[in-house]
Amino acid sequence: MSSTSPLWLILLVTGFTVGFGHCIGMCGPIVVSLSLNLKGERVFLSQLLYNGGRVTTYTILGGLMGLTGSFTIVASNIASLQKIVIIFAGIIIIILAFSMIGWIPLGRIFSDDYNPKGIVARGFKRLSGHRSPFAYYPLGLLLGLLPCGPVYTALIASAAAGTQSTHPVQGVLNGAALMLLFGIGTVPALLIVGKLAGLGWLKSRKIIYQIGAVLMVLVGIYFIIKGLRY
Amino acid sequence: MISVCNAQILRALGRNILCVRVNLERFILVFIFLFVIWAPTIAAETQGRTGVNCDINHSSCTRYLSSCKVTLDIEPKPVKAMKDLTFTVRLTGEKPSSAPYIDLGMPGMNMGPNRVRLKVTGEGLYQGIGVIVKCPSGRRTWRATVTVPDLGTTEFIFDVIY
């Protein structure tokens, strides 16, 4: 473990610095979309859960890298899934945009008047509830798979830590710990962006939501095109 | 009475004008905010192939330090991202105190530390395995900074295949 200690600090700092540059460029539109959709309610908790999901995925991927000791083996296996995730992110952003301006009545469908039967339907209602912040954790888990250059680089470091480990378990722990720290480093930037985009600091937001919805649709289309070309 | 009504109308008009102005300001604020968010991505995608000094997909590349010739080669060719690549550095001239190493990065974008450690495989010959990652922005221009301990650093900028 001690051999990777300096690397832990490097990845934490790297996560922090790329968070304010690269991550805002890639995940910023998603974070802004999520915050706008919340309309100023429970923005911080939702963003925290979204980031928690994202960091959990990074940690699991780091563990896999540490176990296999090979970045390319794991990366090639998740490549096709990542393409789908980019497209899914675009669709989610567009749905959130339409929901925000009331074109898709997610709030009505999943309101208190609607009482679905069955565990899955009830669970989906709970997660999809317009004001439920808990939906953001599984969303973060999934969107943590979005392809990102600095994440790949951190995963390479995790794989390298795996090759230097004497036992597979140690490899998993080292890889996971490195990605956990990298992920934690990226959180502050995205939390700040999400909090600012929550617009809780504004009194009149109707026009902004309408303009925001148009921008979100454009961002969603951009993601879908990018996913198709990836 | 008329003057009171006029005053009320004027006040209402004033409020509306103020309201429109405030909303416009907020719109501009949000637009700028979103633009700032997208600026790195837009900049990354519009940036050209400026600075490319190496055709690594077809041959090795050579750069000169003050007292040393540094030749970089990457195999297999064409050089593809997300694949295990063998990096070879050949040094001619003054010998370094220890093995050189390569830092991979993208010009104008922080991709995090990605160092390829090289091991000596012959006289002035060093090799190591590394990966050039795929940038979702679509940019293909990468930079390999070769550091030769005590002698200096040199940069090879080249395009890779996605």
Side-chain angles (χ1 to χ4, degrees):
Chain A
M1 286 261 185
S2 59
S3 64
T4 55
S5 296
L7 198 55
W8 293 8
L9 185 62
I10 290 169
L11 282 185
L12 180 68
V13 174
T14 300
F16 186 79
T17 52
V18 300
F20 280 94
H22 202 105
C23 291
I24 288 180
M26 187 67 193
C27 295
I30 296 167
V31 169
V32 169
S33 302
L34 297 178
S35 283
L36 284 172
N37 188 56
L38 287 162
K39 300 191 173 179
E41 291 181 28
R42 293 197 247 181
V43 172
F44 186 76
L45 177 62
S46 303
Q47 289 291 348
L48 204 61
L49 286 166
Y50 167 76
N51 280 291
R54 194 172 54 81
V55 173
T56 304
T57 299
Y58 290 172
T59 307
I60 293 167
L61 287 176
L64 285 172
M65 292 290 171
L67 178 68
T68 60
S70 170
F71 168 79
T72 48
I73 287 173
V74 180
S76 61
N77 279 308
I78 62 169
S80 54
L81 183 61
Q82 286 182 305
K83 186 185 176 83
I84 295 167
V85 169
I86 304 174
I87 297 168
F88 175 76
I91 293 168
I92 284 281
I93 291 170
I94 292 172
I95 289 173
L96 289 178
F98 287 151
S99 162
M100 197 171 74
I101 53 173
W103 286 14
I104 296 178
L106 283 183
R108 213 178 306 149
I109 292 169
F110 299 107
S111 69
D112 292 339
D113 300 332
Y114 176 66
N115 291 308
K117 291 187 173 74
I119 294 169
V120 174
R122 281 204 300 271
F124 186 66
K125 184 200 166 186
R126 184 172 172 76
L127 286 177
S128 311
H130 193 62
R131 292 189 170 84
S132 170
F134 299 102
Y136 291 83
Y137 183 76
L139 196 62
L141 280 177
L142 189 63
L143 296 184
L145 287 169
L146 277 173
C148 171
V151 173
Y152 285 148
T153 306
L155 288 171
I156 289 172
S158 296
T163 59
Q164 291 162 10
S165 301
T166 51
H167 192 275
V169 176
Q170 191 189 8
V172 171
L173 293 175
N174 277 342
L178 288 172
M179 284 309 291
L180 174 67
L181 287 172
F182 172 81
I184 288 170
T186 63
V187 170
L190 293 179
L191 271 184
I192 290 169
V193 170
K195 186 66 183 165
L196 287 173
L199 302 177
W201 43 281
L202 288 180
K203 286 177 183 171
S204 173
R205 303 167 221 165
K206 195 177 173 184
I207 290 177
I208 290 168
Y209 288 144
Q210 288 168 348
I211 296 162
V214 174
L215 291 172
M216 281 162 67
V217 170
L218 292 175
V219 169
I221 292 168
Y222 173 82
F223 266 75
I224 291 170
I225 293 169
K226 196 154 76 169
L228 292 171
R229 287 167 56 187
Y230 188 71
Chain B
M1 186 66 180
I2 292 168
S3 63
V4 170
C5 283
N6 280 345
Q8 283 174 341
I9 290 165
L10 281 173
R11 270 201 298 273
L13 269 175
R15 273 200 299 273
N16 285 338
I17 290 166
L18 186 69
C19 188
V20 168
R21 198 171 65 83
V22 169
N23 280 330
L24 189 65
E25 282 173 1
R26 286 170 183 173
F27 163 67
I28 292 166
L29 195 67
V30 170
F31 187 79
I32 290 170
F33 181 64
L34 287 171
F35 182 77
V36 165
I37 283 171
W38 277 76
T41 309
I42 293 165
E45 293 187 8
T46 52
Q47 196 166 344
R49 296 175 61 247
T50 50
V52 171
N53 62 11
C54 169
D55 185 12
I56 202 73
N57 287 304
H58 295 101
S59 64
S60 59
C61 301
T62 300
R63 309 281 293 168
Y64 292 89
L65 292 174
S66 57
S67 57
C68 177
K69 187 169 90 170
V70 182
T71 302
L72 172 73
D73 201 4
I74 307 174
E75 293 284 348
K77 295 187 190 303
V79 177
K80 289 185 178 176
M82 308 299 277
K83 302 280 181 195
D84 285 324
L85 301 166
T86 302
F87 291 77
T88 304
V89 169
R90 182 183 291 277
L91 299 179
T92 312
E94 194 178 342
K95 295 288 175 278
S97 56
S98 56
Y101 53 85
I102 303 170
D103 287 312
L104 298 170
M106 194 171 253
M109 191 178 282
N110 180 5
M111 300 295 279
N114 185 359
R115 180 165 291 181
V116 182
R117 297 190 183 280
L118 305 175
K119 288 178 182 170
V120 63
T121 54
E123 180 65 29
L125 199 64
Y126 304 85
Q127 282 190 327
I129 305 291
V131 180
I132 293 172
V133 302
K134 184 176 179 178
C135 181
S137 72
R139 280 182 63 195
R140 295 160 190 272
T141 305
W142 278 80
R143 180 185 57 221
T145 305
V146 178
T147 300
V148 185
D150 302 330
L151 299 179
T153 63
T154 185
E155 290 185 350
F156 298 85
I157 301 173
F158 50 85
D159 286 340
V160 298
I161 307 292
Y162 281 171

